[in-house]
């Protein structure tokens, strides 16, 4: 089974969202970059094809800036994949 890593980048337009654990799981892959902003939530989870991570980041960056930041990261990653 492939493991999945999902980076959910939530734009700062979602004002009023204040809950945050602020930390990545200890076993989150160090070579997956996290865009600048506040980590809203980060957790280990199980996807249809295996275990992975879901991370939500509140950022003031535009969609285009977020897309450009992850352009080289999105897609196959080891035995899994990265989605934004």
């Amino acid at each position: 089974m492939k493991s999945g890593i999902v980076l959910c980048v939530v734009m700062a337009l979602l004002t009023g969202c204040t809950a945050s654990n602020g930390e990545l799981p200890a076993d989150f892959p160090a070579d997956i970059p996290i865009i600048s902003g506040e980590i809203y939530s980060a957790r280990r989870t199980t996807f249809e094809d295996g275990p992975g991570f879901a991370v939500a980041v509140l950022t003031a960056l535009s969609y285009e800036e977020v897309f450009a930041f992850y352009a080289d990261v999105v897609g196959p990653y080891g035995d899994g994949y990265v989605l934004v």
Side-chain angles (χ1 to χ4, degrees):
M1 289 195 162
K2 293 182 177 180
S3 62
I5 298 171
V6 176
L7 300 174
C8 303
V9 181
V10 181
M11 304 311 281
L13 299 172
L14 299 177
T15 57
C17 296
T18 57
S20 174
N21 64 6
E23 295 182 18
L24 294 171
D27 55 344
F28 187 84
D31 57 340
I32 298 294
I34 300 296
I35 200 157
S36 63
E38 178 185 357
I39 296 175
Y40 180 73
S41 68
R43 63 185 171 87
R44 193 167 222 335
T45 191
T46 302
F47 297 97
E48 192 173 290
D49 61 347
F53 300 88
V55 178
V57 177
L58 296 175
T59 182
L61 299 174
S62 70
Y63 171 82
E64 291 80 12
E65 291 170 311
V66 172
F67 186 83
F69 181 86
Y70 284 108
D72 295 331
V73 179
V74 176
Y77 172 78
D79 64 346
Y81 55 87
V82 177
L83 304 170
V84 174

